[in-house]
Amino acid sequence: MTPPRVRVLHGPSLNLLGRREPSIYGTATLAEIDRGLAAEAAELGLAVECFQSNHEGVLIDRIHEAAGSCAGILINPGAYAHSSLAIADALRAIALPAVEVHLSNVHAREPARHTLVVAAACVGVIAGFGALGYALGLRALLPHIQRR
Ligand code: DHK
């Protein structure tokens, strides 16, 4: 049996992880995070397909595509988390369980980062645990996938 697929979406500037404000976002690169997720997924009986884009429309296209082939979404929308009703609507439209991840504790940062627009379309949010948050997010998604 093929394992259920989880689409992992990384938003703007997450391609620069490792050298982007490491005191806030840590030193792990995106490639390292994606490798860790693939290993975690294998342990959980899942498979991940990881994409990064700096463009809202591309992220939305990837969400729409997931409807036919995936069982869940793990998303760090980057700064779109705080503003993108369009990404939230896309997640609602496909009706797959989604978990939002933030490397930093957005609630302890500037007030503009306390508003989470995309999170309202997700089953939950993990924030503040650095790269570990992605593995935690995948684990949190699992029962929602199994329930379907
Ligand atoms: C990533 C970003 O790019 C920011 O715009 C968010 C989030 C926080 C993170 O912590 O992973 O505000």
Side-chain angles (χ1 to χ4, degrees):
M1 211 184 76
T2 54
R5 304 185 74 76
V6 173
R7 184 150 290 194
V8 179
L9 294 170
H10 306 287
S13 300
L14 295 171
N15 52 312
L16 301 181
L17 285 180
R19 56 200 162 96
R20 173 196 183 198
E21 298 183 272
S23 62
I24 296 174
Y25 298 108
T27 53
T29 65
L30 194 60
E32 287 166 349
I33 287 172
D34 286 347
R35 275 199 297 277
L37 272 172
E40 186 75 17
E43 271 186 35
L44 297 175
L46 298 170
V48 285
E49 38 187 55
C50 304
F51 298 101
Q52 188 277 331
S53 178
N54 296 318
H55 305 279
E56 188 177 30
V58 174
L59 292 166
I60 291 168
D61 287 343
R62 296 292 194 195
I63 291 169
H64 291 175
E65 285 164 17
S69 57
C70 297
I73 306 262
L74 187 65
I75 183 167
N76 182 344
Y80 287 134
H82 314 298
S83 64
S84 181
L85 205 50
I87 291 177
D89 279 352
L91 290 171
R92 289 192 185 98
I94 63 160
L96 290 179
V99 169
E100 179 166 315
V101 174
H102 292 288
L103 292 146
S104 64
N105 180 359
V106 286
H107 301 291
R109 298 180 64 192
E110 313 93 289
R113 294 185 204 272
H114 300 178
T115 300
L116 295 178
V117 174
V118 174
C122 295
V123 294
V125 183
I126 291 174
F129 297 100
L132 173 65
Y134 288 91
L136 296 174
L138 200 58
R139 281 189 181 259
L141 197 51
L142 185 61
H144 292 276
I145 290 173
Q146 287 169 336
R147 209 171 286 155
R148 287 168 61 83

